[in-house]
Amino acid sequence: FFSVFRRLHCMQRAPRRRALQRSSAPPLVTPCCATFALLVCVLLSTSLVLMKRAASDDDGGGGGAAAAAAAATEALTDASVRKGDVVMVTGGSGLVGRGIRAALGAELGDGDAAAGDDAREVIDAVGAKWVFVSSKDADLADAAATKALFAAEQPTHVVHLAAMVGGLFRNMRHNVEMFRVNSAINDNVLACAHEHKCRKVVSCLSTCIFPDKTTYPIDETMVHNGPPHDSNLGYSTAKRNLDVLSRLYRRQHGCNFTTVVPTNVFGEFDNFNLDDSHVIPGLIHKFYKAKKSGSAVELLGTGTPLRQFLYSRDLGRLFLWVLRKYNDAAPVILSVPEQHEVSIKQLAESIKRALAFDGEIRWSGDEKQNGQFKKTASPSKLLQLYKQSEGVDFQYTNFDDALAATCAWFEANYDTKARV
């Protein structure tokens, strides 16, 4: 470096140098070039030291990776729920939160009472406190409000269910809002969970995160293999990013953050609003109104798309198992077996029977209103791990029985607890 810069500098001052040589004056270029070269060498040496330190912190070697690995090991061995712990359930007043309440109640011998109980806190069988928070407690899309909630509750564990949700047509109309709001919620919750050193976080994804063009059945390795269906791109992308963010917290900070992917959930306390509900509660409400008015049921699409439906109380029991037993970074699909998949037309006929509706069903026949044709997911990983840890197969509630219970609850609570 010294030689190169000396030559450049001397070339620029060649006329003056010749003049100086004629007058026998000493050359003046060497000190300047030497100083500049010295500075360059110092900067290069500093850069090499910093690069070496960064490399030592990367995966595969060094104190940074070792520290993260040690933190992850400690987190995995200390994730159990014990007496005195606080499990905070975001979005706890909704459908899945009620399913978790019912599962906790079943362990205490009063599942129905627990599911219908509006109490904000539940003490479980081991003496841990479960806090079911809702949008009334905090706007989780607001960072300051989320920080205040965590500071007030001091959770040791988090079950993250909160989300801005809606059915097919609401997603199609509000993709931007679905992406922005859900991204903010997820970022705020995980950041606060890390800040408060929560021992475990289980976050809820959705089967809409899987690629639109894929092979079936879908499994947990296929989440990022291609773009999701365009109809709910905003919501599904935000949920995909929740999986990525959970993995990054685990990799960088050793956090025991994991995710689950439930299939289409239904049950008591669902959102039955016709403008933004999912398929089962929306159909139940339509059949109920048609039965009251004596009119036909008008349904969009062809009825051919296929779906797997999971009863909320079954999902509640699975969430308890995941919180207590599942510690992998990769998501786990929570679903009924593939052979339980039904078409939307079959679903409509089942609701018709459950509500004793004797009128006509009319389909629009427009395939553009169908949405994604199928999202068949494999619960093989779940069922294998569950049997390994529990020694028995997981027992699902019969679909027709669960659907009948949901319809009966809706009719009984139409003017009170049902969200219509």
Side-chain angles (χ1 to χ4, degrees), residues 134-417:
S134 69
S135 56
K136 294 179 181 179
D137 296 285
D139 175 9
L140 297 180
D142 180 84
T146 308
K147 289 181 180 179
L149 178 65
F150 271 76
E153 301 300 340
Q154 294 293 313
T156 57
H157 300 69
V158 176
V159 176
H160 177 35
L161 309 176
M164 179 182 180
V165 298
L168 170 64
F169 299 104
R170 186 184 186 194
N171 272 282
M172 292 173 68
R173 292 192 300 266
H174 301 288
N175 264 299
V176 171
E177 293 80 3
M178 288 292 183
F179 176 80
R180 295 190 66 205
V181 173
N182 284 299
S183 296
I185 290 173
N186 298 334
D187 184 39
N188 291 336
V189 169
L190 293 197
C192 287
H194 167 58
E195 180 182 342
H196 284 264
K197 295 180 172 57
C198 293
R199 299 206 303 272
K200 187 168 184 179
V201 176
V202 179
S203 296
C204 191
L205 308 181
S206 167
T207 51
C208 70
I209 66 175
F210 288 104
D212 179 31
K213 306 299 183 183
T214 188
T215 57
Y216 296 98
I218 298 165
D219 64 40
E220 291 84 355
T221 67
M222 302 163 67
V223 173
H224 302 284
N225 284 0
H229 193 268
D230 189 63
S231 62
N232 52 16
L233 184 62
Y235 180 79
S236 57
T237 302
K239 285 294 187 180
R240 274 192 181 189
N241 289 346
L242 177 54
D243 168 53
V244 173
L245 190 57
S246 297
R247 292 172 184 258
L248 292 178
Y249 269 108
R250 179 182 290 250
R251 179 188 301 175
Q252 184 169 334
H253 299 294
C255 299
N256 189 2
F257 292 179
T258 191
T259 56
V260 297
V261 189
T263 49
N264 302 274
V265 188
F266 73 98
E268 302 89 342
F269 298 94
D270 206 341
N271 173 21
F272 294 85
N273 186 286
L274 290 175
D275 292 329
D276 57 9
S277 60
H278 287 102
V279 59
I280 286 185
L283 288 178
I284 290 174
H285 196 172
K286 281 192 173 185
F287 274 94
Y288 176 84
K289 293 188 72 173
K291 179 181 177 181
K292 290 293 185 181
S293 64
S295 59
V297 172
E298 305 282 347
L299 300 180
L300 300 176
T302 64
T304 55
L306 303 172
R307 295 293 183 268
Q308 292 159 289
F309 295 105
L310 180 62
Y311 189 34
S312 59
R313 296 191 179 209
D314 291 343
L315 180 57
R317 292 190 288 131
L318 289 172
F319 258 105
L320 296 187
W321 176 80
V322 170
L323 185 66
R324 295 164 179 169
K325 301 291 181 69
Y326 184 77
N327 292 305
D328 291 352
V332 59
I333 292 172
L334 307 183
S335 171
V336 296
E338 303 150 49
Q339 61 267 28
H340 292 183
E341 192 173 50
V342 298
S343 71
I344 302 302
K345 185 169 288 187
Q346 290 173 313
L347 171 64
E349 293 294 336
S350 296
I351 293 174
K352 178 179 179 178
R353 290 192 299 272
L355 289 174
F357 174 72
D358 57 5
E360 182 184 1
I361 301 175
R362 299 173 185 165
W363 296 89
S364 70
D366 186 353
E367 292 186 353
K368 294 181 180 179
Q369 297 170 327
N370 282 339
Q372 192 169 355
F373 175 66
K374 64 184 299 183
K375 298 186 285 186
T376 313
S378 170
S380 297
K381 177 180 175 180
L382 162 70
L383 299 180
Q384 180 181 358
L385 292 176
Y386 185 90
K387 187 166 186 177
Q388 286 177 359
S389 67
E390 305 304 307
V392 294
D393 292 325
F394 183 80
Q395 298 298 314
Y396 295 94
T397 305
N398 176 270
F399 176 70
D400 287 331
D401 292 342
L403 192 60
T406 304
C407 289
W409 181 90
F410 176 76
E411 288 187 294
N413 293 277
Y414 184 84
D415 296 320
T416 54
K417 295 183 178 181

Side-chain angles (χ1 to χ4, degrees), residues 76-97:
L76 295 179
T77 57
D78 193 35
S80 60
V81 180
R82 302 186 293 266
K83 183 177 182 179
D85 284 344
V86 177
V87 183
M88 187 170 75
V89 183
T90 69
S93 63
L95 171 66
V96 181

